[in-house]
Amino acid sequence: MELAKVTALLRATTLEAAILTGRLALYPSGIVSERLAPAAGDGGPVPVTGGAGRPVVLLHGFVDNRSVFLLLRRTLARHGRDRVSSLNYSPLTCDLRTAAEALGRRIDAVLDRAGRTEVDLVGHSLGGLIARYYVQRLGGDARVRTLVTLGTPHAGTAVAPLADAHPLVRQMRPDSEVLRELAAPAPGCRTRFVSFWSDLDQIMVPVETARLDHPDLLVHNVRVSGIGHLALPVHPTVAARIVAALDSEGTGEAADAGAAGGEVAGEGAASVA
């Protein structure tokens, strides 16, 4: 392995360790489920044509909670997203589909409170897969304008084989029943997808599994360089790209805005080292 690659991997691993320490410290603050904001007004649903008016729903990954999005929420708030909420799915959840149904109920409640017709979704890791199932298989594309996934195993990950004891982990394996459902045709899906994947993500095995490739979906894959799995929802460069993706109305524009590293194989490449 080249010296530059080794150095980059060491930096990313050190950053991952620091983020994990901070994550453990913040974890207790996110255990209690978040209360929704008060209703926006007495009128009916209001269609939103600009990104800033849409509520944002955040969905954490496996064995995590809403505390992972503390920094991303601050970034969204600074850019005018004043209705951001998170869903904590139960740690006892054993079926991704059950979590997707709970997400649907949360989104319905968010839209009712906000008086809006659409939301944007951001999902980290397993959270992105749950959100995708809701959009593709439960009719969520009627309510979700943009779905951003961060380090999500769209094609399944082979990491940590011993973790297969947990049903959710088995559903994240290549060729699982859930992933076969998601690979099925999805004609007319209205949601825009922006999938961030990192070349140093050691939870996604292989790293390209976090790319979303489906012939029926409107997708832009964004390769991020220099950080690992845990850094994706907290790194400021990635956060800025997420804001650009949510505010944009076009797939390419969404991912390419603010690119730091040029273009790689037709993808937006964000270098955050």
Side-chain angles (χ1 to χ4, degrees):
M1 186 179 295
E2 298 177 6
L3 179 59
K5 292 182 178 179
V6 172
T7 301
L9 181 59
L10 287 174
R11 287 177 178 172
T13 302
T14 301
L15 179 59
E16 290 284 280
I19 291 172
L20 178 59
T21 300
R23 184 81 56 85
L24 292 174
L26 288 172
Y27 191 91
S29 68
I31 292 176
V32 177
S33 295
E34 181 180 22
R35 297 180 63 181
L36 289 176
D42 298 327
V46 179
V48 175
T49 55
R54 281 189 297 271
V56 181
V57 178
L58 309 173
L59 196 59
H60 62 80
F62 185 58
V63 299
D64 214 332
N65 64 35
R66 62 188 178 88
S67 62
V68 67
F69 293 116
L70 177 64
L71 298 180
L72 178 58
R73 292 182 72 127
R74 291 177 179 173
T75 300
L76 289 168
R78 287 198 302 270
H79 288 82
R81 296 286 185 143
D82 56 357
R83 282 192 172 263
V84 180
S85 63
S86 302
L87 171 68
N88 274 4
Y89 51 91
S90 170
L92 301 179
T93 300
C94 292
D95 189 345
L96 183 152
R97 304 172 187 88
T98 301
E101 292 170 356
L103 174 61
R105 292 190 293 271
R106 181 71 168 189
I107 288 174
D108 287 344
V110 167
L111 290 175
D112 286 344
R113 295 284 187 107
R116 301 294 182 180
T117 58
E118 291 181 324
V119 300
D120 290 325
L121 279 180
V122 179
H124 178 230
S125 197
L126 172 62
L129 210 57
I130 293 170
R132 182 182 165 195
Y133 193 92
Y134 166 69
V135 166
Q136 275 187 245
R137 306 293 296 181
L138 301 181
D141 64 315
R143 299 174 180 85
V144 179
R145 172 58 179 151
T146 301
L147 169 56
V148 174
T149 65
L150 308 170
T152 290
H154 291 293
T157 177
V159 73
L162 296 179
D164 281 358
H166 198 291
L168 280 179
V169 175
R170 293 197 296 271
Q171 290 183 330
M172 289 189 283
R173 294 307 191 197
D175 202 39
S176 71
E177 182 179 347
V178 165
L179 292 185
R180 289 197 299 272
E181 287 183 53
L182 291 175
C189 184
R190 289 161 283 188
T191 298
R192 302 161 55 244
F193 295 82
V194 180
S195 179
F196 288 79
W197 64 282
S198 173
D199 57 5
L200 294 180
D201 189 333
Q202 298 184 63
I203 303 300
M204 297 296 104
V205 179
V207 294
E208 292 84 3
T209 193
R211 287 175 46 96
L212 176 51
D213 297 300
H214 192 295
D216 294 332
L217 302 181
L218 182 63
V219 181
H220 196 97
N221 288 297
V222 183
R223 181 176 66 83
V224 179
S225 298
I227 61 174
H229 188 75
L230 298 180
L232 285 168
V234 302
H235 199 284
T237 300
V238 177
R241 299 289 295 279
I242 292 171
V243 170
L246 297 183
D247 286 348
S248 172
E249 296 301 312
T251 318
E253 179 187 354
D256 292 341
E263 293 295 307
V264 176
E267 298 182 351
S271 178
V272 297

